[in-house]
Short mmCIF file of all heavy atoms in Angstrom, two decimals:
data_model
loop_
_atom_site.label_atom_id
_atom_site.label_comp_id
_atom_site.label_asym_id
_atom_site.label_seq_id
_atom_site.Cartn_x
_atom_site.Cartn_y
_atom_site.Cartn_z
N TRP H 419 2.67 11.60 -9.66
CA TRP H 419 2.41 12.69 -8.75
C TRP H 419 3.61 13.63 -8.60
O TRP H 419 3.46 14.82 -8.43
CB TRP H 419 2.04 12.17 -7.37
CG TRP H 419 0.66 11.56 -7.30
CD1 TRP H 419 -0.37 11.72 -8.17
CD2 TRP H 419 0.19 10.69 -6.25
NE1 TRP H 419 -1.48 10.99 -7.74
CE2 TRP H 419 -1.14 10.38 -6.58
CE3 TRP H 419 0.76 10.17 -5.07
CZ2 TRP H 419 -1.92 9.56 -5.75
CZ3 TRP H 419 -0.02 9.35 -4.29
CH2 TRP H 419 -1.35 9.06 -4.61
N VAL H 435 -7.88 -4.02 -16.81
CA VAL H 435 -9.08 -4.75 -16.39
C VAL H 435 -9.84 -4.03 -15.31
O VAL H 435 -11.07 -4.17 -15.18
CB VAL H 435 -8.70 -6.16 -15.96
CG1 VAL H 435 -7.85 -6.16 -14.68
CG2 VAL H 435 -9.93 -7.05 -15.76
N LYS H 458 -1.76 10.35 -15.11
CA LYS H 458 -1.12 9.58 -16.18
C LYS H 458 -1.73 9.93 -17.56
O LYS H 458 -2.80 10.55 -17.60
CB LYS H 458 -1.30 8.06 -15.97
CG LYS H 458 -0.70 7.57 -14.64
CD LYS H 458 -0.93 6.06 -14.49
CE LYS H 458 -0.46 5.60 -13.13
NZ LYS H 458 -0.67 4.15 -12.94
N GLU H 469 3.31 -2.65 -36.65
CA GLU H 469 3.40 -1.20 -36.44
C GLU H 469 3.31 -0.85 -34.95
O GLU H 469 3.86 0.15 -34.51
CB GLU H 469 2.31 -0.49 -37.23
CG GLU H 469 2.63 -0.42 -38.73
CD GLU H 469 1.76 0.58 -39.44
OE1 GLU H 469 0.58 0.26 -39.68
OE2 GLU H 469 2.24 1.69 -39.76
N ALA H 492 6.48 -12.82 -20.31
CA ALA H 492 5.57 -12.17 -21.24
C ALA H 492 6.30 -11.15 -22.11
O ALA H 492 6.06 -11.06 -23.33
CB ALA H 492 4.42 -11.50 -20.48
N PHE H 498 10.44 -8.26 -26.59
CA PHE H 498 11.11 -7.19 -25.86
C PHE H 498 11.80 -7.74 -24.63
O PHE H 498 11.47 -7.40 -23.48
CB PHE H 498 10.15 -6.06 -25.53
CG PHE H 498 9.67 -5.31 -26.73
CD1 PHE H 498 8.50 -5.68 -27.38
CD2 PHE H 498 10.41 -4.27 -27.25
CE1 PHE H 498 8.06 -5.01 -28.50
CE2 PHE H 498 10.00 -3.59 -28.41
CZ PHE H 498 8.81 -3.95 -29.04
N ASN H 597 8.96 -7.90 4.17
CA ASN H 597 9.67 -6.70 4.69
C ASN H 597 8.86 -5.98 5.77
O ASN H 597 9.42 -5.38 6.69
CB ASN H 597 10.00 -5.76 3.54
CG ASN H 597 10.97 -4.66 3.96
OD1 ASN H 597 11.89 -4.91 4.75
ND2 ASN H 597 10.78 -3.48 3.46
N ASN H 656 -17.78 0.44 15.09
CA ASN H 656 -16.47 1.08 15.19
C ASN H 656 -16.35 2.01 16.39
O ASN H 656 -15.48 2.89 16.43
CB ASN H 656 -16.15 1.84 13.90
CG ASN H 656 -15.99 0.89 12.74
OD1 ASN H 656 -15.11 0.03 12.72
ND2 ASN H 656 -16.86 1.01 11.73
N TYR H 658 -14.85 2.11 19.13
CA TYR H 658 -13.73 1.55 19.86
C TYR H 658 -12.56 2.53 19.78
O TYR H 658 -12.47 3.35 18.88
CB TYR H 658 -13.31 0.23 19.27
CG TYR H 658 -14.30 -0.92 19.42
CD1 TYR H 658 -15.41 -1.01 18.58
CD2 TYR H 658 -14.12 -1.89 20.40
CE1 TYR H 658 -16.31 -2.07 18.72
CE2 TYR H 658 -15.01 -2.94 20.52
CZ TYR H 658 -16.11 -3.02 19.69
OH TYR H 658 -17.00 -4.06 19.83
N TRP H 668 2.78 4.95 32.15
CA TRP H 668 1.99 4.23 33.16
C TRP H 668 1.45 5.21 34.21
O TRP H 668 0.26 5.15 34.56
CB TRP H 668 2.82 3.15 33.84
CG TRP H 668 2.07 2.41 34.92
CD1 TRP H 668 2.34 2.37 36.24
CD2 TRP H 668 0.85 1.67 34.74
NE1 TRP H 668 1.40 1.63 36.91
CE2 TRP H 668 0.47 1.17 36.01
CE3 TRP H 668 0.07 1.36 33.62
CZ2 TRP H 668 -0.66 0.38 36.19
CZ3 TRP H 668 -1.06 0.57 33.80
CH2 TRP H 668 -1.42 0.10 35.09
N LYS H 673 -3.35 8.12 36.50
CA LYS H 673 -3.99 9.39 36.83
C LYS H 673 -5.25 9.62 36.00
O LYS H 673 -6.27 10.05 36.50
CB LYS H 673 -3.01 10.53 36.65
CG LYS H 673 -1.87 10.52 37.69
CD LYS H 673 -0.88 11.67 37.42
CE LYS H 673 0.23 11.67 38.47
NZ LYS H 673 1.22 12.72 38.23
N GLU H 704 -11.81 -0.22 30.05
CA GLU H 704 -13.06 -0.31 29.29
C GLU H 704 -14.25 0.18 30.14
O GLU H 704 -15.17 0.82 29.63
CB GLU H 704 -13.29 -1.75 28.82
CG GLU H 704 -13.99 -1.87 27.51
CD GLU H 704 -13.88 -3.25 26.89
OE1 GLU H 704 -14.15 -4.26 27.59
OE2 GLU H 704 -13.48 -3.35 25.71
N PRO H 725 -0.61 7.04 24.22
CA PRO H 725 -0.79 6.61 22.84
C PRO H 725 -2.15 5.92 22.63
O PRO H 725 -2.42 4.89 23.25
CB PRO H 725 0.39 5.65 22.61
CG PRO H 725 1.35 5.94 23.70
CD PRO H 725 0.54 6.39 24.88
N GLU H 734 -15.78 7.86 8.07
CA GLU H 734 -15.22 8.93 8.89
C GLU H 734 -13.95 9.50 8.27
O GLU H 734 -13.72 10.71 8.27
CB GLU H 734 -14.96 8.41 10.30
CG GLU H 734 -16.21 8.12 11.08
CD GLU H 734 -15.95 7.33 12.37
OE1 GLU H 734 -15.27 6.31 12.30
OE2 GLU H 734 -16.48 7.72 13.42
N ILE H 798 -1.65 8.92 -37.85
CA ILE H 798 -2.45 8.54 -36.66
C ILE H 798 -3.82 8.03 -37.09
O ILE H 798 -4.30 7.01 -36.55
CB ILE H 798 -2.58 9.76 -35.70
CG1 ILE H 798 -1.20 10.14 -35.15
CG2 ILE H 798 -3.56 9.47 -34.59
CD1 ILE H 798 -1.19 11.44 -34.39
N SER H 804 -6.52 0.92 -38.62
CA SER H 804 -6.01 -0.48 -38.65
C SER H 804 -5.99 -1.10 -37.24
O SER H 804 -5.45 -2.19 -37.06
CB SER H 804 -4.59 -0.49 -39.27
OG SER H 804 -3.72 0.32 -38.48
N VAL H 806 -4.34 -0.41 -34.64
CA VAL H 806 -3.05 -0.51 -33.93
C VAL H 806 -3.16 0.30 -32.61
O VAL H 806 -2.57 -0.07 -31.61
CB VAL H 806 -1.91 0.05 -34.78
CG1 VAL H 806 -0.59 0.13 -34.00
CG2 VAL H 806 -1.73 -0.83 -36.03
N ILE H 807 -3.95 1.38 -32.67
CA ILE H 807 -4.17 2.20 -31.46
C ILE H 807 -5.66 2.26 -31.13
O ILE H 807 -6.51 1.95 -31.98
CB ILE H 807 -3.60 3.61 -31.59
CG1 ILE H 807 -4.29 4.37 -32.74
CG2 ILE H 807 -2.11 3.58 -31.77
CD1 ILE H 807 -3.92 5.82 -32.79
#
Side-chain angles (χ1 to χ4, degrees):
W419 286 343
V435 66
K458 301 179 184 180
E469 284 195 284
F498 292 93
N597 192 37
N656 294 299
Y658 292 79
W668 179 243
K673 291 178 178 177
E704 214 164 51
E734 290 167 312
I798 295 171
S804 59
V806 173
I807 62 172

